[in-house]
PDB file of all heavy atoms in Angstrom:
ATOM      1  N   GLN A 181      12.492  27.586  20.188  1.00 83.00           N
ATOM      2  CA  GLN A 181      12.624  28.258  21.469  1.00 83.00           C
ATOM      3  C   GLN A 181      13.774  27.629  22.244  1.00 83.00           C
ATOM      4  O   GLN A 181      14.486  26.755  21.752  1.00 83.00           O
ATOM      5  CB  GLN A 181      11.309  28.161  22.258  1.00 83.00           C
ATOM      6  CG  GLN A 181      10.093  28.695  21.514  1.00 83.00           C
ATOM      7  CD  GLN A 181      10.144  30.200  21.308  1.00 83.00           C
ATOM      8  OE1 GLN A 181      10.872  30.897  22.010  1.00 83.00           O
ATOM      9  NE2 GLN A 181       9.390  30.697  20.330  1.00 83.00           N
ATOM     10  N   SER A 182      13.923  28.079  23.505  1.00 77.00           N
ATOM     11  CA  SER A 182      15.031  27.573  24.316  1.00 77.00           C
ATOM     12  C   SER A 182      14.889  26.094  24.638  1.00 77.00           C
ATOM     13  O   SER A 182      15.888  25.410  24.889  1.00 77.00           O
ATOM     14  CB  SER A 182      15.109  28.371  25.621  1.00 77.00           C
ATOM     15  OG  SER A 182      13.873  28.264  26.333  1.00 77.00           O
ATOM     16  N   ASP A 183      13.642  25.578  24.629  1.00 84.00           N
ATOM     17  CA  ASP A 183      13.453  24.168  24.960  1.00 84.00           C
ATOM     18  C   ASP A 183      13.644  23.243  23.766  1.00 84.00           C
ATOM     19  O   ASP A 183      13.756  22.024  23.935  1.00 84.00           O
ATOM     20  CB  ASP A 183      12.054  23.954  25.545  1.00 84.00           C
ATOM     21  CG  ASP A 183      10.957  24.363  24.575  1.00 84.00           C
ATOM     22  OD1 ASP A 183      11.254  25.120  23.634  1.00 84.00           O
ATOM     23  OD2 ASP A 183       9.804  23.937  24.776  1.00 84.00           O
ATOM     24  N   SER A 184      13.706  23.768  22.544  1.00 88.00           N
ATOM     25  CA  SER A 184      13.905  22.944  21.362  1.00 88.00           C
ATOM     26  C   SER A 184      14.171  23.830  20.162  1.00 88.00           C
ATOM     27  O   SER A 184      13.395  24.751  19.881  1.00 88.00           O
ATOM     28  CB  SER A 184      12.674  22.064  21.101  1.00 88.00           C
ATOM     29  OG  SER A 184      12.867  21.250  19.972  1.00 88.00           O
ATOM     30  N   THR A 185      15.267  23.568  19.458  1.00 91.00           N
ATOM     31  CA  THR A 185      15.604  24.322  18.251  1.00 91.00           C
ATOM     32  C   THR A 185      15.887  23.350  17.117  1.00 91.00           C
ATOM     33  O   THR A 185      16.357  22.234  17.334  1.00 91.00           O
ATOM     34  CB  THR A 185      16.841  25.212  18.469  1.00 91.00           C
ATOM     35  OG1 THR A 185      17.957  24.383  18.844  1.00 91.00           O
ATOM     36  CG2 THR A 185      16.579  26.243  19.559  1.00 91.00           C
ATOM     37  N   ALA A 186      15.615  23.783  15.888  1.00 89.00           N
ATOM     38  CA  ALA A 186      15.762  22.900  14.732  1.00 89.00           C
ATOM     39  C   ALA A 186      17.185  22.878  14.183  1.00 89.00           C
ATOM     40  O   ALA A 186      17.589  21.896  13.560  1.00 89.00           O
ATOM     41  CB  ALA A 186      14.794  23.316  13.623  1.00 89.00           C
ATOM     42  N   VAL A 187      17.956  23.959  14.386  1.00 91.00           N
ATOM     43  CA  VAL A 187      19.297  24.067  13.813  1.00 91.00           C
ATOM     44  C   VAL A 187      20.268  24.487  14.911  1.00 91.00           C
ATOM     45  O   VAL A 187      19.966  25.392  15.712  1.00 91.00           O
ATOM     46  CB  VAL A 187      19.333  25.084  12.650  1.00 91.00           C
ATOM     47  CG1 VAL A 187      20.735  25.149  12.049  1.00 91.00           C
ATOM     48  CG2 VAL A 187      18.317  24.723  11.579  1.00 91.00           C
ATOM     49  N   LEU A 188      21.431  23.840  14.949  1.00 91.00           N
ATOM     50  CA  LEU A 188      22.520  24.217  15.846  1.00 91.00           C
ATOM     51  C   LEU A 188      23.680  24.738  15.013  1.00 91.00           C
ATOM     52  O   LEU A 188      24.039  24.139  13.998  1.00 91.00           O
ATOM     53  CB  LEU A 188      22.987  23.023  16.691  1.00 91.00           C
ATOM     54  CG  LEU A 188      21.958  22.372  17.618  1.00 91.00           C
ATOM     55  CD1 LEU A 188      22.582  21.194  18.346  1.00 91.00           C
ATOM     56  CD2 LEU A 188      21.410  23.383  18.612  1.00 91.00           C
ATOM     57  N   VAL A 189      24.276  25.853  15.450  1.00 92.00           N
ATOM     58  CA  VAL A 189      25.419  26.450  14.760  1.00 92.00           C
ATOM     59  C   VAL A 189      26.482  26.747  15.803  1.00 92.00           C
ATOM     60  O   VAL A 189      26.206  27.384  16.828  1.00 92.00           O
ATOM     61  CB  VAL A 189      25.018  27.742  14.008  1.00 92.00           C
ATOM     62  CG1 VAL A 189      26.235  28.323  13.300  1.00 92.00           C
ATOM     63  CG2 VAL A 189      23.902  27.461  13.019  1.00 92.00           C
ATOM     64  N   SER A 190      27.719  26.316  15.529  1.00 91.00           N
ATOM     65  CA  SER A 190      28.812  26.504  16.489  1.00 91.00           C
ATOM     66  C   SER A 190      30.114  26.770  15.753  1.00 91.00           C
ATOM     67  O   SER A 190      30.367  26.198  14.682  1.00 91.00           O
ATOM     68  CB  SER A 190      28.952  25.260  17.379  1.00 91.00           C
ATOM     69  OG  SER A 190      30.074  25.376  18.233  1.00 91.00           O
ATOM     70  N   GLU A 191      30.922  27.649  16.326  1.00 89.00           N
ATOM     71  CA  GLU A 191      32.286  27.912  15.838  1.00 89.00           C
ATOM     72  C   GLU A 191      33.259  27.159  16.730  1.00 89.00           C
ATOM     73  O   GLU A 191      33.357  27.431  17.928  1.00 89.00           O
ATOM     74  CB  GLU A 191      32.582  29.407  15.860  1.00 89.00           C
ATOM     75  CG  GLU A 191      31.722  30.231  14.917  1.00 89.00           C
ATOM     76  CD  GLU A 191      32.127  30.059  13.456  1.00 89.00           C
ATOM     77  OE1 GLU A 191      33.227  29.533  13.211  1.00 89.00           O
ATOM     78  OE2 GLU A 191      31.332  30.440  12.580  1.00 89.00           O
ATOM     79  N   GLN A 192      34.014  26.225  16.153  1.00 84.00           N
ATOM     80  CA  GLN A 192      34.930  25.392  16.922  1.00 84.00           C
ATOM     81  C   GLN A 192      36.298  25.401  16.263  1.00 84.00           C
ATOM     82  O   GLN A 192      36.486  24.785  15.205  1.00 84.00           O
ATOM     83  CB  GLN A 192      34.395  23.953  17.020  1.00 84.00           C
ATOM     84  CG  GLN A 192      33.051  23.844  17.705  1.00 84.00           C
ATOM     85  CD  GLN A 192      32.577  22.400  17.788  1.00 84.00           C
ATOM     86  OE1 GLN A 192      33.202  21.490  17.256  1.00 84.00           O
ATOM     87  NE2 GLN A 192      31.476  22.185  18.484  1.00 84.00           N
ATOM     88  N   SER A 193      37.229  26.135  16.863  1.00 81.00           N
ATOM     89  CA  SER A 193      38.624  26.178  16.383  1.00 81.00           C
ATOM     90  C   SER A 193      38.695  26.564  14.912  1.00 81.00           C
ATOM     91  O   SER A 193      39.423  25.948  14.123  1.00 81.00           O
ATOM     92  CB  SER A 193      39.308  24.821  16.610  1.00 81.00           C
ATOM     93  OG  SER A 193      39.285  24.468  17.967  1.00 81.00           O
ATOM     94  N   GLY A 194      37.936  27.583  14.543  1.00 84.00           N
ATOM     95  CA  GLY A 194      37.963  28.047  13.166  1.00 84.00           C
ATOM     96  C   GLY A 194      37.084  27.279  12.216  1.00 84.00           C
ATOM     97  O   GLY A 194      37.043  27.594  11.023  1.00 84.00           O
ATOM     98  N   THR A 195      36.386  26.268  12.689  1.00 88.00           N
ATOM     99  CA  THR A 195      35.482  25.474  11.848  1.00 88.00           C
ATOM    100  C   THR A 195      34.051  25.755  12.258  1.00 88.00           C
ATOM    101  O   THR A 195      33.710  25.683  13.441  1.00 88.00           O
ATOM    102  CB  THR A 195      35.770  23.967  11.987  1.00 88.00           C
ATOM    103  OG1 THR A 195      37.120  23.708  11.598  1.00 88.00           O
ATOM    104  CG2 THR A 195      34.826  23.159  11.119  1.00 88.00           C
ATOM    105  N   ARG A 196      33.218  26.081  11.293  1.00 91.00           N
ATOM    106  CA  ARG A 196      31.810  26.323  11.581  1.00 91.00           C
ATOM    107  C   ARG A 196      31.044  25.025  11.364  1.00 91.00           C
ATOM    108  O   ARG A 196      31.026  24.470  10.268  1.00 91.00           O
ATOM    109  CB  ARG A 196      31.252  27.408  10.680  1.00 91.00           C
ATOM    110  CG  ARG A 196      29.789  27.721  10.969  1.00 91.00           C
ATOM    111  CD  ARG A 196      29.341  28.966  10.272  1.00 91.00           C
ATOM    112  NE  ARG A 196      27.996  29.355  10.669  1.00 91.00           N
ATOM    113  CZ  ARG A 196      27.439  30.497  10.328  1.00 91.00           C
ATOM    114  NH1 ARG A 196      28.118  31.369   9.591  1.00 91.00           N
ATOM    115  NH2 ARG A 196      26.218  30.786  10.723  1.00 91.00           N
TER     116      ARG A 196
END
Side-chain angles (χ1 to χ4, degrees):
Q181 304 292 340
S182 58
D183 60 341
S184 181
T185 59
V187 181
L188 299 179
V189 180
S190 175
E191 295 286 345
Q192 299 181 355
S193 302
T195 301
R196 181 169 187 171

